[in-house]
Amino acid sequence: MSSFFHVSIGDGLYLISSVASGTSMEFGPPTANSYLIVGREKALLFDLAVNEPGIRDYIKTITDRPLMVVLSHGHPDHIYHLRDFSQVWMHEADENFPLCLNPGLKLLKRKLTIHQLRQGDTIDLAGRVLTVFHIPGHTMGSILLLDEQTGTLFSGDTVARRVLYGITGCPPLSEFEEMLLHLPTDRIHKIYSAHDRGAIEPEYIGHMIRLMREELPKTEKYWHFPGFPKMRNLVYGEESTPDFFDIAVPEAVLDCEGESCRPK
Ligand SMILES: [Zn+2]
């Protein structure tokens, strides 16, 4: 039996997740969530983050509109069951990204049409327009979608309470902070990320930037994982409270400024 469930988080907006990690909408340990955004003529599924078969059929229980799948980025935990779809929209910088982690996808890619999304693009679902923001950092091709109708920002792994920064190339951290600062917070009412079900307040963007600028350089905690570079790790607050923040940044990125730490 399918373990999907969905919760309405606004007019025509749904969070889709799996009961395997409970059904709580409160902040706590990480969960995996996709988002369904329903317009008058089309619906959009943001990420394939739920590792359960049958997402297409499950979506049909919510809407019968033609479905467009958009990926926030190319990490393997955002492309589950991609084979169920013949086309997908994403930023070109992450197009080949999954292949280096999962060579089996090379075969899949031959059957998949990939459409590109760039900074400032808009997606019109009829009666509902989404604006694309490209913020490299978590990956080089990470994008966020802003539903202009409700002011809901779908932020993937970019504006998030847990940020794994740039393990496969990234801009200097100062540029990432600058791009976050330029998000139009006057148009953002609430934020939903891929691994939390609770709504993040727009003020959290400033909180992230302050912690990255002031606290991260001071921390002496490191995060080691086989195959990953040496990562500086700041953990702030309790996971059950909204202001929790956990960020890991490669030491090499933290130590450099400007062109020298740009990926080749
Ligand atoms: Zn990711």
Side-chain angles (χ1 to χ4, degrees):
M1 207 178 89
S2 156
S3 71
F4 289 111
F5 76 98
H6 66 278
V7 175
S8 169
I9 53 165
D11 182 21
L13 304 178
Y14 302 89
L15 177 148
I16 297 172
S17 193
S18 165
V19 296
S21 46
T23 55
S24 170
M25 293 292 284
E26 303 298 318
F27 287 120
T31 55
N33 317 302
S34 294
Y35 294 93
L36 180 68
I37 304 154
V38 182
R40 244 188 355 254
E41 289 171 12
K42 273 196 284 189
L44 185 154
L45 181 62
F46 192 49
D47 279 334
L48 298 168
V50 187
N51 189 9
E52 292 286 337
I55 185 75
R56 275 185 88 105
D57 288 341
Y58 187 74
I59 298 289
K60 281 181 194 154
T61 68
I62 310 171
T63 179
D64 58 1
R65 313 274 200 287
L67 189 66
M68 167 182 189
V69 175
V70 177
L71 304 176
S72 66
H73 62 290
H75 274 162
D77 62 332
H78 290 250
I79 59 168
Y80 292 122
H81 306 284
L82 188 54
R83 73 184 83 84
D84 291 352
F85 300 90
S86 59
Q87 51 182 345
V88 75
W89 280 256
M90 67 190 296
H91 191 279
E92 63 179 336
D94 273 16
E95 230 183 79
N96 292 311
F97 183 83
L99 307 185
C100 64
L101 287 174
N102 186 348
L105 280 173
K106 273 183 188 165
L107 293 168
L108 178 63
K109 207 180 160 199
R110 282 188 211 135
K111 295 181 190 162
L112 190 70
T113 303
I114 300 179
H115 305 276
Q116 292 172 6
L117 287 172
R118 298 191 176 90
Q119 166 69 24
D121 281 355
T122 53
I123 301 167
D124 191 349
L125 303 176
R128 176 157 242 150
V129 173
L130 301 156
T131 306
V132 176
F133 294 90
H134 173 218
I135 301 188
H138 176 63
T139 64
M140 287 307 286
S142 288
I143 58 168
L144 302 79
L145 295 184
L146 175 61
D147 173 37
E148 301 285 356
Q149 182 178 311
T150 60
T152 307
L153 181 70
F154 297 97
S155 61
D157 289 357
T158 295
V159 176
R161 301 195 316 144
R162 302 168 197 83
V163 175
L164 189 58
Y165 195 79
I167 46 174
T168 51
C170 59
L173 201 59
S174 57
E175 282 186 24
F176 178 67
E177 292 163 0
E178 202 58 35
M179 287 182 277
L180 290 177
L181 267 179
H182 280 92
L183 281 168
T185 42
D186 55 329
R187 280 152 51 202
I188 299 170
H189 178 59
K190 55 187 173 173
I191 302 168
Y192 282 94
S193 64
H195 299 296
D196 268 310
R197 293 182 189 147
I200 296 169
E201 299 297 325
E203 293 73 27
Y204 191 84
I205 297 170
H207 176 64
M208 277 177 76
I209 294 168
R210 187 186 69 74
L211 291 174
M212 285 188 284
R213 285 183 178 166
E214 295 172 13
E215 302 301 324
L216 181 62
K218 287 191 249 168
T219 184
E220 287 180 358
K221 195 175 169 212
Y222 288 91
W223 186 72
H224 298 275
F225 199 75
F228 282 51
K230 188 181 177 189
M231 312 280 277
R232 195 91 68 96
N233 182 205
L234 171 73
V235 180
Y236 176 91
E238 296 294 321
E239 214 171 21
S240 59
T241 61
D243 63 354
F244 170 78
F245 186 50
D246 180 343
I247 184 167
V249 177
E251 186 72 352
V253 174
L254 205 60
D255 277 351
C256 76
E257 277 300 319
E259 290 301 315
S260 60
C261 57
R262 283 200 166 282
K264 300 285 177 287

